[in-house]
Amino acid sequence: GGGSPPDAVIGRRPSTGGGGAAPKKSYLAQSRQIHELAEQSERAVVPFPWPFAIAVYIDCMMDGLLIGLTLVTSQSAGMFMAVALCVEMGFLGLTFSTSTTSQPIHRKLLANVMGPVILAASSLVGGLVVNSLANSPSALVGCTSFGTAALLYMVCEELLVAAHESGGDHVWWIDLQVYMGFMFSLVLSKAFEA
């Protein structure tokens, strides 16, 4: 009949019969355990994305070489190449920086600054290579052709294939955009020369 409701119903702690000392210890133990788990999670660092970082740094190096080669060869083509690769590297840099957000601040900062530093240094190297090959037009054409072919190969054979594998159905107009962009760059380079 008319007994009192259970402790859980009215919101009181269940009595332990030991004067209330046991619940305090269990609460203290739980708070210590939660504090230790929080410290462990702060110490646990997500592994650095080395494969992605190396790919980004190689891309920075190739883009910088290509900018340096084309800038010394032709001022207008070099400026056009720099603007085009600036857009491409901007998106790649945003993607790379989001992959390093869980890293400690010093590692994240160093990783994100390395890309532009490599790009600028390799652009300088590309310019020096072109200046040293100024007396050999065939070597100059070979270096520029290699840089352009490497860039096109990476876009057509690596990025598009990866996009098709991660995407659903094949969309024909995406492939068309690559070739239209290439055609647009040729038209724009001729317009800059005029």
Side-chain angles (χ1 to χ4, degrees):
S4 63
D7 289 333
V9 173
I10 59 174
R12 288 189 306 210
R13 291 185 196 152
S15 61
T16 57
K24 286 184 182 178
K25 286 183 182 177
S26 67
Y27 291 132
L28 286 174
Q30 287 177 356
S31 75
R32 276 192 208 119
Q33 184 180 12
I34 289 171
H35 184 66
E36 288 171 3
L37 287 174
E39 285 181 348
Q40 288 175 0
S41 67
E42 286 177 3
R43 277 180 266 155
V45 177
V46 177
F48 188 78
W50 283 111
F52 188 31
I54 290 170
V56 167
Y57 298 151
I58 290 173
D59 184 41
C60 289
M61 187 176 66
M62 293 304 296
D63 289 351
L65 284 172
L66 189 58
I67 289 171
L69 287 170
T70 54
L71 196 56
V72 173
T73 307
S74 166
Q75 193 84 18
S76 60
M79 291 303 291
F80 178 74
M81 185 66 70
V83 170
L85 290 176
C86 179
V87 173
E88 181 252 335
M89 290 304 293
F91 285 110
L92 184 61
L94 285 173
T95 306
F96 180 63
S97 66
T98 57
S99 73
T100 61
T101 52
S102 60
Q103 300 297 316
I105 187 72
H106 64 280
R107 189 179 300 167
K108 180 184 355 182
L109 186 63
L110 182 65
N112 288 316
V113 168
M114 281 300 293
V117 168
I118 291 172
L119 183 71
S122 58
S123 175
L124 180 65
V125 169
L128 292 173
V129 166
V130 169
N131 281 334
S132 67
L133 297 176
N135 296 333
S136 175
S138 59
L140 189 61
V141 168
C143 284
T144 309
S145 302
F146 169 74
T148 308
L151 184 67
L152 286 175
Y153 177 82
M154 186 190 70
V155 169
C156 295
E157 294 298 321
E158 299 294 328
L159 297 178
L160 285 178
V161 171
H164 285 302
E165 288 174 356
S166 65
D169 297 331
H170 179 78
V171 182
W172 63 270
W173 52 269
I174 291 178
D175 291 341
L176 181 65
Q177 286 179 357
V178 172
Y179 297 107
M180 292 301 292
F182 189 64
M183 184 67 178
F184 180 68
S185 69
L186 291 175
V187 169
L188 221 66
S189 66
K190 291 297 180 187
F192 275 129
E193 289 174 6

